[in-house]
Amino acid sequence: MISNDDLMTLKKIALMGGLKSQVCLSSQAMGERLEISPQTASRRLISLEKEKLISRTIRPDGQYIRINESGEKILSGEYFDYCRVFEKTDVSYLLRGEVISGLGEGRYYVSIPHYMKQFRDKLGFEPFPGTLNLRLDPVSLETRKELEKLEWVEIEGFVDNDRTFGSAKCLPCRIEGSASAIIVPGRTHYPDDIIELLCEHGLRSKLGLKDGDRIKVEITND
């Protein structure tokens, strides 16, 4: 967990352009911007580097700093939290993460008629034949746990041709305005930071998504 002092320092570096490129920044200059001593500023930069939130390069003409991907994720989490505070929205929960490849089983299971009928009847939309997998940001893991307190839609298991198909639960949500749902199989094989999503559209194609792209998942608590 990043300290408030380190978070403030990270924000200041971002405001100077450190998210897009390296910025030349001495401890003296950092201290002046934060109204702290150069020694304290230096300790904060060392702390951020140790946590792999920034990278530092020392050159003959000075110290160059850029925010790493981990630091960007922390700032992104702060941004969306403030959006929830100040924007007028019906969104109660927000998950953020990056698109990853799944095991390739989603297309088969989603297309099974008995499952598809339940999705249509209980979720109100017919899912695209496939699922989208998302690796959650660390700041979204606690939110993911909170979702367990909500009312999920039960998808019943069944037997077909002597083969047993397991149950699952779904939580309706929206992704870029598209009707979607988080789906958790009764016997899930995913770690806590991975979620699997149904959607009325093939989002990889519709939004031009590829592995590593970042999206947000909006959940309302009606």
Side-chain angles (χ1 to χ4, degrees):
M1 181 68 71
I2 187 172
S3 70
N4 289 332
D5 287 342
D6 284 353
L7 178 59
M8 183 60 67
T9 305
L10 194 65
K11 289 179 181 178
K12 191 65 69 174
I13 296 170
L15 288 170
M16 297 174 62
L19 270 176
K20 298 180 179 179
S21 62
Q22 288 185 326
V23 292
C24 185
L25 182 62
S26 67
S27 297
Q28 176 74 35
M30 189 81 258
E32 291 175 357
R33 288 176 177 272
L34 292 171
E35 298 182 350
I36 56 178
S37 70
Q39 293 80 12
T40 300
S42 178
R43 286 194 294 270
R44 291 190 188 177
L45 292 174
I46 291 172
S47 175
L48 290 172
E49 183 181 31
K50 188 175 181 179
E51 294 298 322
K52 295 182 170 35
L53 302 179
I54 64 169
S55 57
R56 294 195 299 164
T57 303
I58 306 300
R59 300 177 185 170
D61 59 338
Q63 173 179 246
Y64 286 80
I65 297 173
R66 180 165 186 170
I67 296 174
N68 293 336
E69 183 179 358
S70 297
E72 182 178 355
K73 287 181 178 180
I74 287 176
L75 292 175
S76 177
E78 288 288 303
Y79 167 75
F80 284 115
D81 283 344
Y82 278 116
C83 284
R84 289 182 60 192
V85 171
F86 292 107
E87 291 180 356
K88 293 183 179 179
T89 176
D90 294 328
V91 175
S92 299
Y93 300 92
L94 201 58
L95 300 175
R96 297 166 293 273
E98 63 178 30
V99 176
I100 62 172
S101 294
L103 300 177
E105 299 176 344
R107 178 179 297 274
Y108 169 70
Y109 284 103
V110 172
S111 300
I112 294 174
H114 197 84
Y115 280 139
M116 184 64 79
K117 183 178 187 305
Q118 290 189 73
F119 294 145
R120 284 196 302 266
D121 294 345
K122 298 181 178 182
L123 298 178
F125 67 91
E126 182 170 310
F128 173 82
T131 58
L132 185 71
N133 293 273
L134 198 68
R135 175 177 287 113
L136 298 176
D137 293 348
V139 293
S140 290
L141 287 179
E142 288 302 315
T143 303
R144 171 64 183 88
K145 294 177 183 177
E146 288 293 315
L147 298 182
E148 292 300 321
K149 301 175 183 178
L150 303 181
E151 184 175 350
W152 291 62
V153 175
E154 294 295 328
I155 303 298
E156 299 174 0
F158 57 95
V159 177
D160 186 26
N161 293 328
D162 295 326
R163 180 176 178 181
T164 300
F165 292 86
S167 63
K169 62 179 182 179
C170 292
L171 185 65
C173 58
R174 298 195 75 81
I175 302 174
E176 297 293 335
S178 295
S180 308
I182 301 171
I183 181 167
V184 178
R187 296 180 179 178
T188 181
H189 47 262
Y190 285 124
D192 292 341
D193 64 338
I194 304 296
I195 60 172
E196 191 170 12
L197 296 149
L198 304 172
C199 187
E200 62 180 335
H201 306 294
L203 290 185
R204 281 185 179 265
S205 175
K206 181 180 179 182
L207 302 179
L209 297 176
K210 59 184 183 300
D211 284 1
D213 286 345
R214 300 177 55 75
I215 61 172
K216 59 183 179 181
V217 180
E218 302 174 344
I219 301 101
T220 57
N221 186 15
D222 297 327

